[in-house]
Amino acid sequence: MLRSLVQVGGAARSVHTTAIRRSQGGSVFSRLNPWAKTPVVTPTEATEATETTTNDTPVPVFDVKYTEEPQFVSWKAYPPIEDLETLSSTVRSVVLETVADTQESQWETVSLREVATKFSVIKETMKRTGKLIPNHVLNDIHTAGDVLAYFNQEKVQTTAAASIEKYFEDHQDSLPANMSFAPRK
């Protein structure tokens, strides 16, 4: 405890003060808190974390291990198969591998009404060909030939969508006057 004299308005008064000790790395409140824990650094940890130079100044050592994340691998083939003959042979091989007791001459008539068989055939076909079959089409697929027919139909629809300008030119006289084709710029 310290005593100091303070002069206030000509009269000397003594004031009692105490020195506040701070704990290492903490504040007054951490010293008063019985649950506050101070980190204990052992001398071996301190020497492992720093290296010394010729000037005896510690240099921090960063032991960072870099790992490369694997690239995202798609579950389907890329680029998608466009050739109809290759599509047909791929669907045929999937059906022959997946469905037991299938004859090679009648693979297109194999029934896909059983849900597990239909799922495995369509999943493996989409994986190998890179082409998707949307959900709304799945109810219309009952045989392996329907899967192949969908891929053939998809090819025809893509070709037809590309010729919209030609359709407008060919049917200009039968279309209403307010309908015209404006190509993108």
Side-chain angles (χ1 to χ4, degrees), residues 1 36 56 89-90 120 149 153 162-163 182:
M1 191 162 22
D56 291 334
S89 66
T90 304
S120 59
Q153 177 187 8
S163 62

Side-chain angles (χ1 to χ4, degrees), residues 128-176:
R128 289 189 190 179
T129 62
K131 293 183 164 283
L132 298 177
I133 299 176
N135 290 343
H136 64 87
V137 176
L138 292 177
N139 290 332
D140 300 333
I141 295 177
H142 302 294
T143 63
D146 292 341
V147 175
L148 185 61
Y150 173 76
F151 289 140
N152 290 339
Q153 177 187 8
E154 183 185 32
K155 183 76 172 173
V156 171
Q157 286 179 352
T158 306
T159 307
S163 62
I164 294 174
E165 182 177 11
K166 186 175 183 313
Y167 176 81
F168 271 92
E169 290 173 0
D170 293 345
H171 298 89
Q172 187 173 12
D173 52 336
S174 64
L175 293 173

Side-chain angles (χ1 to χ4, degrees), residues 62-73:
F62 300 104
D63 188 20
V64 179
K65 295 180 177 139
Y66 293 100
T67 58
E68 286 191 27
E69 293 291 324
Q71 287 184 337
F72 176 75
V73 180

Side-chain angles (χ1 to χ4, degrees), residues 33-148:
N33 185 354
W35 295 281
K37 294 181 181 178
T38 57
V40 178
V41 179
T42 60
T44 57
E45 291 176 356
T47 56
E48 290 176 4
T50 60
E51 290 181 359
T52 57
T53 61
T54 56
N55 298 340
D56 291 334
T57 57
V59 177
V61 176
F62 300 104
D63 188 20
V64 179
K65 295 180 177 139
Y66 293 100
T67 58
E68 286 191 27
E69 293 291 324
Q71 287 184 337
F72 176 75
V73 180
S74 178
W75 59 271
K76 60 182 186 172
Y78 185 80
I81 298 173
E82 298 294 333
D83 182 36
L84 294 179
E85 195 171 302
T86 309
L87 280 171
S88 175
S89 66
T90 304
V91 173
R92 181 178 54 80
S93 66
V94 167
V95 170
L96 292 174
E97 291 171 9
T98 307
V99 182
D101 300 331
T102 305
Q103 297 171 356
E104 193 163 333
S105 62
Q106 297 182 353
W107 68 270
E108 287 187 31
T109 59
V110 170
S111 175
L112 298 179
R113 293 208 185 265
E114 186 182 332
V115 177
T117 306
K118 185 177 192 176
F119 174 77
S120 59
V121 167
I122 289 178
K123 178 184 173 192
E124 191 63 30
T125 302
M126 289 192 307
K127 190 187 296 184
R128 289 189 190 179
T129 62
K131 293 183 164 283
L132 298 177
I133 299 176
N135 290 343
H136 64 87
V137 176
L138 292 177
N139 290 332
D140 300 333
I141 295 177
H142 302 294
T143 63
D146 292 341
V147 175
L148 185 61

